[in-house]
Amino acid sequence: MPEIIDRAIDCQVLNKISFWDALIVSAAQSARCEKIWTEDLNPGQIFQGVKVENPLIL
Protein backbone atom coordinates (compact mmCIF):
# COMPACT_ATOMS: atom_id res chain seq x y z
CA MET A 1 0.00 0.00 0.00
CA PRO A 2 2.76 2.56 0.70
CA GLU A 3 3.96 2.19 -2.90
CA ILE A 4 0.55 3.41 -4.14
CA ILE A 5 0.92 6.52 -1.98
CA ASP A 6 4.47 7.09 -3.24
CA ARG A 7 3.28 6.80 -6.86
CA ALA A 8 0.39 9.15 -6.09
CA ILE A 9 2.76 11.79 -4.74
CA ASP A 10 4.92 11.49 -7.87
CA CYS A 11 1.84 11.67 -10.10
CA GLN A 12 0.59 14.74 -8.23
CA VAL A 13 3.85 16.61 -8.61
CA LEU A 14 4.53 15.62 -12.23
CA ASN A 15 1.01 16.26 -13.52
CA LYS A 16 -0.01 19.11 -11.20
CA ILE A 17 -3.23 17.42 -10.10
CA SER A 18 -4.68 17.07 -6.61
CA PHE A 19 -3.31 14.38 -4.35
CA TRP A 20 -6.74 12.71 -4.14
CA ASP A 21 -7.06 12.51 -7.94
CA ALA A 22 -3.50 11.19 -8.14
CA LEU A 23 -4.33 8.58 -5.50
CA ILE A 24 -7.30 7.38 -7.57
CA VAL A 25 -5.09 7.17 -10.66
CA SER A 26 -2.39 5.27 -8.76
CA ALA A 27 -4.89 2.83 -7.28
CA ALA A 28 -6.41 2.26 -10.73
CA GLN A 29 -2.97 1.66 -12.22
CA SER A 30 -2.15 -0.76 -9.42
CA ALA A 31 -5.38 -2.65 -10.16
CA ARG A 32 -4.41 -2.74 -13.87
CA CYS A 33 -7.37 -0.63 -14.95
CA GLU A 34 -7.18 0.75 -18.47
CA LYS A 35 -9.39 3.77 -17.77
CA ILE A 36 -11.18 5.68 -15.06
CA TRP A 37 -14.49 7.52 -15.35
CA THR A 38 -14.42 10.93 -13.70
CA GLU A 39 -15.61 14.48 -14.17
CA ASP A 40 -12.65 15.89 -12.23
CA LEU A 41 -9.90 15.37 -14.82
CA ASN A 42 -9.75 16.24 -18.50
CA PRO A 43 -11.05 13.46 -20.73
CA GLY A 44 -8.44 11.89 -22.97
CA GLN A 45 -5.55 12.49 -20.59
CA ILE A 46 -3.41 9.50 -19.70
CA PHE A 47 -1.77 9.24 -16.28
CA GLN A 48 0.46 6.27 -15.41
CA GLY A 49 -1.04 4.39 -18.35
CA VAL A 50 -4.64 5.00 -17.19
CA LYS A 51 -6.88 6.92 -19.59
CA VAL A 52 -9.40 9.43 -18.24
CA GLU A 53 -12.98 9.29 -19.55
CA ASN A 54 -15.83 11.63 -18.67
CA PRO A 55 -19.12 9.74 -18.26
CA LEU A 56 -21.14 12.86 -19.06
CA ILE A 57 -19.63 13.48 -22.49
CA LEU A 58 -21.16 11.36 -25.23
Side-chain angles (χ1 to χ4, degrees), residues 3-13 19 22-23 26 48:
E3 60 276 355
I4 293 174
I5 295 171
D6 288 339
R7 281 197 307 266
I9 293 169
D10 291 342
C11 182
Q12 173 192 16
V13 171
F19 172 73
L23 192 58
S26 294
Q48 296 179 338

Side-chain angles (χ1 to χ4, degrees), residues 7-9 11-12 15-29 36 38-42 45 47-48 50 52:
R7 281 197 307 266
I9 293 169
C11 182
Q12 173 192 16
N15 297 295
K16 297 182 171 96
I17 61 176
S18 76
F19 172 73
W20 304 111
D21 290 337
L23 192 58
I24 290 169
V25 169
S26 294
Q29 187 266 338
I36 56 173
T38 180
E39 300 172 46
D40 295 332
L41 297 169
N42 294 323
Q45 287 183 297
F47 300 103
Q48 296 179 338
V50 179
V52 175

